[in-house]
């Protein structure tokens, strides 16, 4: 089936952070990885494209979004949830 959601999200975040996927840990925040607000928006777009989903994220109010960006693991869980909803 190809890459898992986990592996794809890690790869997207690693690309934005200019890191190797192995350097992206689940408990890391995007800030820890050096991803700024523009990198975050680019990551969201890449995730939407990779999974053909709509991420409920407002770049103007990231804290008010339903999409949890508090850590890499939270992003993976959120994407898994959106992918599951889409298949339902």
């Amino acid at each position: 089936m190809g890459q898992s959601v986990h592996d794809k999200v890690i790869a997207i975040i690693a690309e934005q952070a200019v890191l190797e996927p192995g350097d992206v840990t689940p408990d890391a925040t995007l800030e820890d990885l050096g991803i700024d607000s523009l990198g975050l928006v680019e990551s969201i777009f890449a995730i939407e494209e990779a999974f053909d989903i709509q991420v409920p994220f407002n770049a103007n109010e990231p804290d008010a979004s339903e999409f949890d960006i508090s850590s890499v693991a939270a992003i993976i869980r959120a994407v898994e949830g959106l992918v599951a909803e889409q298949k339902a």
Side-chain angles (χ1 to χ4, degrees):
M1 180 187 149
Q3 286 183 304
S4 68
V5 170
H6 176 274
D7 291 344
K8 270 182 155 175
V9 171
I10 294 280
I12 289 167
I13 291 171
E15 185 176 332
Q16 285 301 320
V18 193
L19 295 170
E20 291 298 316
D23 295 332
V24 177
T25 59
D27 59 342
T29 66
L30 297 182
E31 191 175 318
D32 292 341
L33 300 172
I35 297 177
D36 61 9
S37 58
L38 179 60
L40 168 61
V41 171
E42 290 177 356
S43 297
I44 298 289
F45 284 145
I47 287 168
E48 286 181 330
E49 190 173 310
F51 296 100
D52 194 27
I53 57 174
Q54 288 293 312
V55 173
F57 180 78
N58 181 341
N60 296 321
E61 295 184 67
D63 295 335
S65 295
E66 295 173 29
F67 193 74
D68 185 357
I69 58 166
S70 61
S71 69
V72 172
I75 293 169
I76 292 168
R77 279 192 305 274
V79 171
E80 287 173 339
L82 291 170
V83 169
E85 282 176 25
Q86 183 190 44
K87 290 181 181 174

